[in-house]
Amino acid sequence: MAEYQYDEEGFNFYYFVISVLSLCLVPITLHTLYSGWKSARSKDEENLCNCETCQQERTKLRSAQPNRVTGQLFRPKILFLIAGWIAVALLAYQVSFAETPKAHWDPYEILGIGEGATLPEIKKVYKKLSLVYHPDKAQPGTEKESEERFIQISKAYQVLTDEDVRKNYEQYGHPDGKQSYTVGVALPKNLVEGGNSKFVLAIYACIFGLGLPYYIARWWYNSRRHTKDRILNGTMRVFVKELKENADFKALIRVLAGAHEFAENIPSRSTDKTLLQAIDNSIAQELENRFGEKYERAGEDVPEYRKKTATLLYAYFLRVNLNSKGSGSETKALLQDQRFIIEKSIHLLQGLLQIAIVKQWLGVASNLMDLQQHLLQATYPGEQSVKQLPHVDTALLRRYYRAKKKHIHSIQQTLALSEAERKEFFQPLGKQQYLDAVEVANRIPKLKVNKAVFRVVGDRIITPGAIVTFVLKLQNTDATVEKSEKRTAEDSDDEDLLDDVTGKTKEIDQENGTLPLAHTPYYPGEKKPYWWVFLGDPKVNRILVPPKKVTDITGEQTVQITFPGPPKPGTYTFSLFVKSDTYVGTDIQQDIKLTIRDKSDLPPEEEVDDSISEPEEDSIAGQMKLMREQGLSGALAGSQNAAKANDDSDSDSSDDE
């Protein structure tokens, strides 16, 4: 009958718990450390914009989040890791007091003899050991050890001198014969037997009956609520319903404000209504004074979260100072809501852009890309893009216009000024502020199109229905960035841009450079510049080739886009769009023509000689051919004739010698 042997001291139970905790804690800890290292690496100080404005805004952001470290520590995952490793440390400390498991009792080993020892040999060894370890013979101070040793010697002697007991030990490994089957349970006895068993079962029921199903159900529910891009399904339904083909900037703000993420994460406070009303008044005044526009306030039937989101977005675009609209605690909470809205809006714009691309709405897609630029730079559509530079505001631009009767709209105009004119433009600024503005102006990538052609792999012309590859060569003319070492093949022959086998541009691949992080002082985060490259037709407001995102254009970079060509011959005029996702006023749009020629214009294909020479009769191929044509006997005869002919030729050659 089986017997259960419990872990009376609990050490095996501790080993079990340590093993289970380690299986959970080690991978989670490694993943957390890797995520923290990756996040710290992405915020490398060398790649950040260190202008005065960016540094001031970073300081404000850090001061507005003093409990960020504390907030990270109180995350459920971090709490689990801390509690888990503390438990592992305590259990390891307890296990350190565990006694070494006792070895198997072996009478031969105790007496120091071999298993085949005879009875006289056993008696002789026993007498010898008795003289040493008998309690009466023990040395002073070793009485206890000698007594324990003598007891083991006597027991071993009795087992080996009794034939039946010795036989039991040799057959079953125990002097008493066959023992019952024991099962070890890695739990203390008082947890399994007695009144505590109910609590153990309750803990197991909570963990596996309630905790595990709850966790799985929660994960399943959250995964079903989101799209693969981590946008709520309810938000995407709102976007699909409200996004229209003729949506402009204000319409996009209204659609974006309807995202369910804002309804679930932006709290409604009793003090918000008064503050938001004051902010609305400032927005209306700014739009009237700067652009002559009328601010369209939300109606009473619009949900409060949509009103709040739209108001804070407009205040961000117009750079309205929220701190002047209320007390410190009230405006602090509102600023936190605004930061969340701006960060989340960048992510939600990708969902709106997907809808526009699927429906091929060129105007809406372009407006959404412009909206992302304005979100990152805190600028309002229609105002001078030069305001992206630090310390440049409306007052500075008006002063320069009054003095020179000349408008400065873009950063390119600023860089085109002579050194003296540029210093006069930035005259109200201090020396460090002037250096900041010039450094940021040079930091912004300046792209130009070196080449934009259509090619088909293996053909000199493009025919109807062919798979066309659009090859675009972009160059960053900014001298301050780390240049790319990637060079393409010589540009003298456009026909050889594509490899006939792979269909890719012929390049000499070397390591690319890396662009620094963008100048985005008002955006609560850091951003790496990207560009969308796509083809469209503004005449019909359609996207012809979906956008492709590229980055790290530090020198000249080749972009390839493959798409099916038009079905009919003719000349088609497309528009090439290269739109930044970070900076305002740096986009490229130019027309490009695609000529489709009839298939009859293709050059005639070269004839390929695919004939196969007849095999020789004495070869394996020749023998197999004869077997197919004449059968086995013919093949044998042919081989004999061939052998005879060879013999004749050999004899002729020997005669000649």
Side-chain angles (χ1 to χ4, degrees):
M1 181 177 178
E3 293 183 359
Y4 293 97
Q5 183 178 359
Y6 296 99
D7 184 15
E8 296 295 343
E9 297 180 350
F11 293 116
N12 291 332
F13 175 67
Y14 295 157
Y15 285 126
F16 170 74
V17 175
I18 290 174
S19 301
V20 173
L21 286 176
S22 300
L23 288 175
C24 300
L25 291 173
V26 171
I28 297 176
T29 302
L30 292 177
H31 180 267
T32 303
L33 292 176
Y34 174 75
S35 300
W37 172 78
K38 189 175 181 180
S39 176
R41 186 183 179 187
S42 65
K43 297 179 180 179
D44 189 358
E45 294 293 336
E46 296 181 357
N47 286 329
L48 295 177
C49 179
N50 292 313
C51 70
E52 183 180 345
T53 306
C54 285
Q55 291 180 351
Q56 290 176 353
E57 293 300 325
R58 288 194 199 102
T59 303
K60 290 180 182 179
L61 185 61
R62 294 190 187 104
S63 62
Q65 299 174 342
N67 59 346
R68 185 171 184 180
V69 176
T70 307
Q72 291 290 331
L73 289 177
F74 282 98
R75 290 175 55 198
K77 183 169 73 171
I78 302 300
L79 290 176
F80 169 75
L81 290 176
I82 294 174
W85 284 116
I86 291 176
V88 169
L90 293 176
L91 292 172
Y93 177 74
Q94 291 292 333
V95 168
S96 64
F97 295 102
E99 296 181 359
T100 305
K102 296 180 180 179
H104 176 67
W105 188 80
D106 188 355
Y108 295 103
E109 183 179 353
I110 294 173
L111 295 178
I113 58 178
E115 293 186 1
T118 62
L119 186 60
E121 292 175 346
I122 295 173
K123 291 180 179 181
K124 182 179 179 181
V125 171
Y126 172 70
K127 290 179 180 180
K128 184 178 179 181
L129 293 175
S130 298
L131 293 175
V132 177
Y133 294 102
H134 195 278
D136 296 338
K137 305 291 185 180
Q139 297 294 327
T142 63
E143 291 85 356
K144 186 176 180 180
E145 292 80 1
S146 298
E147 182 180 0
E148 293 177 354
R149 176 67 173 164
F150 184 73
I151 292 173
Q152 294 295 325
I153 293 172
S154 300
K155 184 178 178 180
Y157 175 73
Q158 292 175 2
V159 168
L160 296 181
T161 54
D162 190 318
E163 291 296 331
D164 295 333
V165 176
R166 183 175 182 179
K167 185 176 181 181
N168 286 335
Y169 175 79
E170 292 178 350
Q171 185 174 359
Y172 301 107
H174 196 278
D176 297 333
K178 187 176 181 181
Q179 301 296 302
S180 61
Y181 178 75
T182 59
V183 177
V185 180
L187 289 174
K189 188 175 182 179
N190 56 1
L191 288 181
V192 180
E193 295 183 354
N196 294 328
S197 60
K198 297 179 181 179
F199 297 104
V200 175
L201 292 176
I203 293 174
Y204 273 99
C206 291
I207 295 176
F208 296 103
L210 298 178
L212 187 60
Y214 170 77
Y215 177 79
I216 295 175
R218 183 180 176 184
W219 168 80
W220 178 254
Y221 174 72
N222 289 332
S223 63
R224 291 293 300 270
R225 291 184 67 216
H226 295 81
T227 65
K228 64 178 182 178
D229 297 317
R230 306 304 299 166
I231 299 176
L232 289 174
N233 291 323
T235 297
M236 292 301 293
R237 286 193 293 268
V238 172
F239 288 172
V240 172
K241 180 180 178 181
E242 298 186 9
L243 187 63
K244 306 299 179 184
E245 186 175 358
N246 58 350
D248 57 2
F249 175 78
K250 294 182 178 179
L252 292 177
I253 295 297
R254 289 193 295 270
V255 175
L256 184 61
H260 287 194
E261 282 83 352
F262 301 139
E264 295 182 3
N265 295 281
I266 297 180
S268 179
R269 308 177 189 89
S270 58
T271 58
D272 285 350
K273 188 172 183 180
T274 304
L275 285 174
L276 292 175
Q277 187 174 0
I279 296 172
D280 277 338
N281 294 334
S282 298
I283 293 172
Q285 184 178 358
E286 289 287 334
L287 289 177
E288 180 66 29
N289 295 339
R290 291 161 58 178
F291 306 102
E293 295 182 10
K294 184 178 180 181
Y295 180 49
E296 300 177 3
R297 300 175 187 265
E300 295 296 330
D301 57 335
V302 178
E304 290 299 325
Y305 79 91
R306 299 190 73 159
K307 293 181 183 179
K308 184 176 181 179
T309 301
T311 297
L312 293 179
L313 282 172
Y314 275 104
Y316 175 78
F317 291 131
L318 296 169
R319 301 184 185 178
V320 175
N321 185 11
L322 301 185
N323 291 317
S324 62
K325 306 303 177 183
S327 63
S329 59
E330 295 172 350
T331 56
K332 183 178 179 180
L334 213 58
L335 282 169
Q336 289 180 349
D337 294 341
Q338 188 183 54
R339 293 189 191 100
F340 173 79
I341 290 171
I342 300 306
E343 283 189 298
K344 184 60 68 174
S345 295
I346 296 295
H347 179 62
L348 295 175
L349 282 180
Q350 309 312 311
L352 285 169
L353 188 59
Q354 288 178 9
I355 298 172
I357 293 173
V358 169
K359 296 188 176 183
Q360 296 183 321
W361 291 343
L362 176 61
V364 174
S366 181
N367 290 338
L368 287 168
M369 296 174 186
D370 293 338
L371 178 56
Q372 178 163 331
Q373 298 172 2
H374 294 299
L375 277 170
L376 290 169
Q377 296 298 330
T379 56
Y380 192 83
E383 64 181 347
Q384 299 92 329
S385 62
V386 71
K387 285 188 175 182
Q388 298 173 101
L389 298 181
H391 318 297
V392 176
D393 53 15
T394 304
L396 186 145
L397 295 175
R398 287 176 178 173
R399 188 204 65 82
Y400 184 77
Y401 176 74
R402 293 191 188 102
K404 294 295 183 179
K405 301 300 179 183
K406 181 179 180 182
H407 286 292
I408 299 294
H409 293 282
S410 65
I411 297 174
Q412 288 79 2
Q413 284 181 277
T414 306
L415 294 175
L417 297 173
S418 63
E419 184 68 21
E421 291 176 329
R422 192 180 303 118
K423 288 184 177 180
E424 186 176 358
F425 174 68
F426 292 111
Q427 184 179 4
L429 306 181
K431 182 178 179 181
Q432 185 59 44
Q433 292 177 334
Y434 168 75
L435 294 176
D436 281 346
V438 174
E439 180 183 355
V440 171
N442 289 320
R443 183 187 185 92
I444 297 176
K446 304 164 190 65
L447 303 187
K448 72 173 184 177
V449 177
N450 284 347
K451 190 179 295 295
V453 294
F454 296 97
R455 290 289 175 263
V456 173
V457 179
D459 288 335
R460 299 290 182 178
I461 64 174
I462 304 175
T463 56
I467 301 300
V468 181
T469 300
F470 175 61
V471 182
L472 174 66
K473 290 187 177 182
L474 292 172
Q475 183 178 359
N476 187 356
T477 59
D478 182 7
T480 63
V481 299
E482 180 186 351
K483 294 299 182 183
S484 169
E485 298 296 336
K486 189 173 185 177
R487 298 183 291 110
T488 58
E490 294 298 327
D491 299 336
S492 57
D493 187 5
D494 291 348
E495 305 296 334
D496 295 332
L497 281 174
L498 297 181
D499 188 273
D500 290 340
V501 178
T502 63
K504 297 181 179 180
T505 52
K506 299 177 180 178
E507 298 173 334
I508 303 174
D509 293 328
Q510 297 182 11
E511 186 177 357
N512 278 327
T514 302
L515 284 175
L517 296 177
H519 168 77
T520 54
Y522 302 100
Y523 176 68
E526 304 298 339
K527 178 72 173 63
K528 187 176 183 179
Y530 282 80
W531 288 266
W532 286 289
V533 178
F534 60 100
L535 298 176
D537 189 349
K539 296 186 293 294
V540 295
N541 190 27
R542 287 293 177 266
I543 297 175
L544 303 178
V545 179
K548 179 178 181 179
K549 261 194 166 186
V550 296
T551 188
D552 287 336
I553 305 177
T554 55
E556 185 180 70
Q557 182 170 330
T558 302
V559 181
Q560 291 182 239
I561 303 177
T562 303
F563 63 97
K568 296 181 181 180
T571 300
Y572 300 84
T573 302
F574 298 152
S575 289
L576 165 65
F577 293 87
V578 181
K579 295 187 71 69
S580 172
D581 75 337
T582 309
Y583 295 108
V584 181
T586 61
D587 300 337
I588 298 174
Q589 179 180 350
Q590 69 179 49
D591 291 340
I592 182 171
K593 293 185 178 182
L594 170 62
T595 301
I596 305 296
R597 298 172 61 178
D598 193 83
K599 292 184 178 180
S600 60
D601 296 335
L602 286 171
E605 296 183 1
E606 298 180 0
E607 293 186 1
V608 179
D609 186 12
D610 57 353
S611 60
I612 301 176
S613 59
E614 290 292 328
E616 297 181 0
E617 290 186 357
D618 58 345
S619 65
I620 296 177
Q623 296 297 315
M624 294 179 66
K625 181 174 181 297
L626 284 176
M627 290 177 64
R628 287 195 300 270
E629 295 177 353
Q630 304 177 9
L632 180 60
S633 59
L636 293 174
S639 60
Q640 293 173 358
N641 294 335
K644 183 177 180 181
N646 290 335
D647 293 340
D648 293 342
S649 61
D650 292 340
S651 61
D652 292 341
S653 60
S654 60
D655 293 340
D656 293 338
E657 293 176 358

